[in-house]
Amino acid sequence: MEVIFMLVGFSLMVALLFLGLFFWAVRDGQYDDGHTPAMRILFDKNKDNSKKQSKTTNTKNNTD
Amino acid sequence: MNTDDVLISTDCYHCGETCDETTVYLDEKPFCCSGCKMVYEILNDNELGTYYCLEDQPGISFKKYQSSKRFDYLEDASVIDRLVDFRNNGFISASFYIPNIHCTSCVWLLENLFKLNDGITKSSVNFLKRELSISFDEEKISLREVIELLASIGYEPELRLEKLDNNEAASPNRRLWLKLGVAGFAFGNIMLFSFPEYLSGSTLNTQGSFHIFFGILNILLALPVLLYSSNDYLKSAWAAVKQGGINLDVPISIGILALFSRSVYEIITGVGAGYMDSFTGLVFFLLIGRMIQKKTYERLSFDRDYKSYLPISVTFLDEEGNERSTSIDKLTEGMQMLIRNRELVPADAELLSDSCYVDYSFITGESDPVEVQQGETVYAGGKIIGPSVTLKAIKEVSNSYLTKLWNNAAFEDHQQNRKVSSLADRISPHFTLAVIGIAITAGILWLPTSTEMALTVSTAVLIIACPCALALSTPFTLGSALNILSRNGLYIKGIEVIEQLANTTSVVFDKTGTLTKADQAEVSFNGKITEHEQALIANACRQSMHPLSQKIASNIKAPQLDVTRINEQINKGITAAVEGQSLVIGSKLFLEEQLPQHIPTPNHDKAVSVVHIAIDGEWKGWFAIGNSYRGGIKDMLFTFKERFSTFLLSGDNDSQKKQFAPYFGKDSLRFDQTPQQKLEFIKDLQQHGHNIIMIGDGLNDAGALQQSDFGIALTDNVSSFTPACDAIMDGKSLRRLNTFINFSQRSITIIKLSFGLSLLYNIVGLSFAVAGQLSPLVAAILMPLSSISIMVFTTVSTHLAAKKMGLASWK
């Protein structure tokens, strides 16, 4: 049963990793605006724009 | 809007306004003006047509065109430094408030700005704040060009003096999120580690090494929750105790500390497993409650001072007479300013042009514009009506009349003495004393059995009586109430003031802009007149800047006719020739001067202004121009008269006294009130024990709004600037104020009911505790159960109450 010590240790490390990710996300400002991302999700839906949209992503990658 | 409507009427493809005779067509699409067409072309050329696919007619009307010279001040290095947030190797980041952001298309377009100019590297929108964060390469595009680009597509940022003065702090919500994250993390993990304890018969439980291992892990996980997540409660409780008071945080902190120390003691001595799961769960739920409490309307500002009213820049004339633009704090005495129609005068100034009309309604409440002659003084805060005028500043902005009004001591000193104590805070001293009393009594009763048992029972009482449910009921009930009211057009500053709304005993109204609409009038003609003659009058009136002429002109829909001659005598009337017919429009005296004929004195209400009309030398009749009321307010005033004491405070003269008399009690109409008098009046009422709602709209009400117990600023556009207040109300919702007050009272009842519910849980819990039976399992079930059931009860019952009262409750 001593394996439980190890398993608990690993599980805690995974949990801490997620807590760390949460901290990073909050500090990055992802929790500052809960509304606009919900609107952005509509942008890709547009069919006739699929070509332009992929171009958008390229340009964004270049400039970032 | 559905698509059929769009096809039938000729609404502008870009902005959706109805097109008149000046419609421009491009690609078989109608545009109301060339500005809209131009934006369409810009977007089309840059493959940004999706703008029009996301929403119907998403654009912003371009009819209010302004000179591009007004951006000159953006070349000034010191202004640029104050506007940008961050500068690095030629890359600039800045954020702007853009009130025009209103739909998905706006977000899409503004986030694709880099397609319009490759100098822009990144732009992102915060929709709720109406804010655009943008970064660009200074070498490719200047700040001024960025702002001009935004203006050219209809999204001109609102740059205000206020912004020049302070740099915004980072969002305070981030820290709360982190605390919540830590508490949630610890709560989840400790529950897992405590699980063997719950099944007390399991084999794991008997193996001592696991017991200690899990116990130590629990303490390690709970420590950050105590030191970081819950420190706001501990600090606030400590501050209250130091000042000799008890707020709700005191019993909460006692509970938190009792839980933690008892658990540490149990784990270390090996007596039991402790209550770390209950402890972290408690903090987690409390923080959720606080999160809801913190939720406010980010795009609305409730604490504005005079600086928000002034534009950021002013156009001035340099030595050679060229128009230039500068930021407003650089305006010095003796500079010549150019102020256009409907612009605010930023500093006290002397009029250099012949004459002009100034609308002081914003400052004094007087609705009729004042005529100012050359050489006279125009005070800061006045709005110019009519053609552009030149003014010479005689004082700097900071020394002007408007500023002085604001710095008046009476506008400041009330801020300290107004302390709202919430229902929960009022209960907590009694609650705390009762809990400590029970803990001590139970301890003494158990003392004969054993000292250890006595200590166990006392701490168990402190733990179970921790008013978690009590602390949650207020934020959850009022948080839902806040959301519901905002969906119905009343935006309240924060949940702590809702109780003030429920306690109302008196309602005080401002007149101009609140009960009546300042810029709209009821115009009716008395006499006989043909449609063609109406058109003649409208065309003549359009040429005049007198407010009455403007009101007549805007009330008659008529095509453009040929005005061959126009002659205006200030404050008397106009004579004109339109399509070969001669017109005389003006006061009775003016018409009698111009015509041989005797003009009959019309029988009319004192409240309306009269304009006589003569065509081709013959008297035709007269226009009656009166105030236009907001819809539904008459019924509302009657209801209020029965229910509360109502008062009218107006900065205007008493010509409309008769009109309002039926809606108010005796002696409750006051006219010719200065801002200071309004404030004193509210103070006086408060000393007589009244709880007052003040409803106003302009700067002249600012003092009264702040002094009152619940100040409502009324506006037709909630993103526009309003004086400091407790709530901002959409003009259309004013008629439902009575329902809003009822609803706020119902919310307070719901809070009281939930207090009863939480008391019930406490009695059950206490009976366990006093009997010495509080096992970790009972605590682990009882505490989250009480918290969650309170959250559900308050949220559901608030929404049901709203539905019953006919308020829109869900989106």
Side-chain angles (χ1 to χ4, degrees), chain B residues 240-297:
Chain B
V241 169
K242 259 207 309 208
Q243 287 180 359
I246 292 180
N247 57 15
L248 192 59
D249 290 343
V250 175
I252 292 177
S253 298
I254 292 178
I256 288 176
L257 290 174
L259 259 173
F260 186 79
S261 42
R262 165 90 178 261
S263 308
V264 172
Y265 167 78
E266 280 192 8
I267 292 168
I268 288 176
T269 56
V271 183
Y275 305 88
M276 287 307 190
D277 48 349
S278 301
F279 163 68
T280 44
L282 171 76
V283 175
F284 181 63
F285 287 123
L286 284 173
L287 288 174
I288 292 180
R290 183 155 282 201
M291 198 86 192
I292 288 186
Q293 205 163 353
K294 276 266 170 75
K295 209 193 134 199
T296 47
Y297 308 100

Side-chain angles (χ1 to χ4, degrees), chain B residues 92-243:
Chain B
I92 288 184
S93 316
S95 52
F96 304 116
Y97 174 65
I98 302 181
N100 279 343
I101 295 177
H102 65 280
C103 65
T104 316
S105 286
C106 302
V107 179
W108 185 84
L109 178 61
L110 291 173
E111 297 197 338
N112 282 289
L113 278 179
F114 61 88
K115 289 191 185 168
L116 290 178
N117 188 304
D118 64 352
I120 295 169
T121 50
K122 198 181 164 193
S123 55
S124 72
V125 173
N126 183 326
F127 186 76
L128 291 181
K129 283 189 183 172
R130 307 277 189 271
E131 198 176 83
L132 174 75
S133 309
I134 187 165
S135 32
F136 54 91
D137 186 347
E138 214 177 354
E139 279 174 20
K140 289 186 185 159
I141 186 167
S142 72
L143 181 72
R144 179 187 174 157
E145 283 162 343
V146 170
I147 298 207
E148 279 178 345
L149 173 71
L150 286 168
S152 76
I153 54 172
Y155 294 96
E156 185 177 334
E158 200 160 75
L159 305 167
R160 296 265 166 183
L161 190 61
E162 200 179 24
K163 165 115 187 182
L164 286 182
D165 277 0
N166 54 40
N167 284 321
E168 270 174 60
S171 166
N173 261 0
R174 281 191 196 176
R175 193 182 296 173
L176 195 55
W177 273 113
L178 293 179
K179 287 182 175 179
L180 188 67
V182 170
F185 166 78
F187 180 39
N189 281 292
I190 291 177
M191 274 215 292
L192 278 178
F193 299 148
S194 304
F195 198 71
E197 285 300 326
Y198 300 154
L199 315 163
S200 44
S202 93
T203 46
L204 270 177
N205 194 29
T206 51
Q207 295 178 351
S209 54
F210 284 118
H211 192 82
I212 296 165
F213 178 58
F214 284 143
I216 289 169
L217 273 182
N218 279 355
I219 294 180
L220 286 179
L221 285 170
L223 257 175
V225 177
L226 179 78
L227 298 177
Y228 180 62
S229 297
S230 68
N231 68 1
D232 285 343
Y233 290 96
L234 301 178
K235 271 186 204 158
S236 147
W238 179 240
V241 169
K242 259 207 309 208
Q243 287 180 359

Side-chain angles (χ1 to χ4, degrees), chain B residues 37 51 69 87 109 146 178 270 275 347 368 609 620 638 695 714 796 806 811:
Chain B
K37 193 191 84 178
Y51 184 61
K69 286 243 172 50
R87 195 177 223 165
L109 178 61
V146 170
L178 293 179
Y275 305 88
D368 287 332
S609 311
K620 288 284 181 186
F638 275 128
I695 306 164
L714 204 68
V796 170
K811 256 183 199 168

